[in-house]
Amino acid sequence: MERFAHSLPNMADEAYWEPLAEHLRAVADMARGFGEPLALAGWAEAAGLLHDIGKLVLHQIDPDRLAGILKETEAKQCSFVEIEREWD
């Protein structure tokens, strides 16, 4: 089963969705570039790969909460973290 990181609003066609593995690799590569001048490339890359791990954990322990947050982010057109803060 393929996991997805992001999808555009009102885009039911998975062809427009960003696969999770591609998203994590892209963020890790970008973070590595930011970390290189600070001699922290490896740490930055690891952080990029792990930055969405909380969503995976939430999916395991409370999938209904995750689904609700994702639904609300789409409805309000705002970030995951904004809705998560409202729910806490």
Side-chain angles (χ1 to χ4, degrees), residues 53-65:
I53 199 165
K55 291 178 187 172
L56 294 174
V57 171
L58 188 55
H59 176 71
Q60 293 298 312
I61 63 172
D62 195 349
D64 293 335
R65 178 182 170 98

Side-chain angles (χ1 to χ4, degrees), residues 20-66:
L20 180 60
E22 289 178 22
H23 169 72
L24 295 176
R25 183 75 260 162
V27 172
D29 291 345
M30 187 182 315
R32 182 176 192 78
F34 291 141
E36 283 176 356
L38 305 170
L40 297 171
W43 287 105
E45 182 178 15
L49 287 170
L50 297 173
H51 82 277
D52 274 339
I53 199 165
K55 291 178 187 172
L56 294 174
V57 171
L58 188 55
H59 176 71
Q60 293 298 312
I61 63 172
D62 195 349
D64 293 335
R65 178 182 170 98
L66 177 61

